[in-house]
Structures are given as structure tokens and as C-alpha cells.
């Protein structure tokens, strides 16, 4: 399982606008990180995903939470027992396209 987690983290971290990524278990413990992200964010990310899941308890698709601050984004998604937290920063071309 550890190799699968590392593979997923590497794929996410390889995306152009990704600054860092982590995966957490349902207790909020960090299972792994890639890039520039604090492992202590895992508990907060898991707690946010748990609260958002309560908004639509019968949803068949996991909720995706996007937090924006300036040119940075934090994307959180829980899928089963695993919560993913991804930090992204808009590149120059992305920022221009978004503002138009």
C-alpha cells in the first residue's frame, strides 16, 4: 500500500501548479507528503473533509473543498478512508486566464 500512496503523491506533485500534496488517514495522521506542505496540515484537512461530508450525507460522489487565498489554493477531498490535501499556486498564464 505504501508504494501505491507514493505513486499517487508523485503523480499529483508532478502537475505544473502543484506546490505540495499530502494524504491522511481517517484519524488525521499523515500517511505521506510530496513537495512544500506541512505534514501537520493533515489533521485540519481531514477535519474539514469530515464536516463537509455531513452537509450531504447521502452523496455518492466525494465532496471537493477549494479554499482560495490570493494566487494560492488548497484543495481537499476525502475518498473512503483517505483524505488528500493539495496546495496549488497559480502560474502567470493561469492567473491571467482566470482574471479575464
Amino acid at each position: 500500500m505504501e508504494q501505491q500512496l507514493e505513486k499517487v503523491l508523485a503523480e499529483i506533485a508532478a502537475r505544473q501548479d502543484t506546490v505540495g500534496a499530502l494524504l491522511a488517514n481517517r484519524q488525521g495522521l499523515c500517511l505521506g507528503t510530496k513537495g512544500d506542505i506541512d505534514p501537520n496540515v493533515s489533521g485540519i484537512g481531514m477535519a474539514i473533509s469530515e464536516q463537509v461530508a455531513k452537509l450531504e450525507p447521502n452523496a455518492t460522489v466525494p465532496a471537493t473543498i477549494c479554499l482560495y487565498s490570493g494566487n494560492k489554493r488548497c484543495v481537499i477531498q476525502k475518498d473512503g478512508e483517505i483524505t488528500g490535501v493539495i496546495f496549488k499556486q497559480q502560474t502567470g498564464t493561469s492567473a491571467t486566464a482566470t482574471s479575464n
Side-chain angles (χ1 to χ4, degrees):
M1 181 167 154
E2 189 173 323
Q3 288 179 333
Q4 289 175 321
L5 293 177
E6 287 294 325
K7 181 181 176 189
V8 169
L9 283 169
E11 288 173 2
I12 294 169
R15 295 184 182 157
Q16 182 180 4
D17 58 349
T18 301
V19 175
L22 72 76
L23 298 174
N25 67 10
R26 70 184 276 217
Q27 286 82 30
L29 299 174
C30 183
L31 300 174
T33 65
K34 283 278 188 214
D36 187 17
I37 190 166
D38 184 350
N40 294 320
V41 172
S42 62
I44 296 167
M46 187 279 308
I48 291 171
S49 70
E50 288 283 321
Q51 294 304 311
V52 169
K54 291 178 183 178
L55 294 173
E56 291 191 49
N58 298 325
T60 57
V61 177
T64 301
I65 303 105
C66 295
L67 306 171
Y68 293 88
S69 177
N71 65 343
K72 296 181 181 176
R73 289 180 290 162
C74 176
V75 181
I76 305 169
Q77 186 176 46
K78 179 179 180 184
D79 193 3
E81 301 288 314
I82 305 291
T83 299
V85 179
I86 304 169
F87 285 177
K88 296 181 174 223
Q89 184 159 356
Q90 286 183 318
T91 60
T93 56
S94 303
T96 305
T98 304
S99 64
N100 289 332

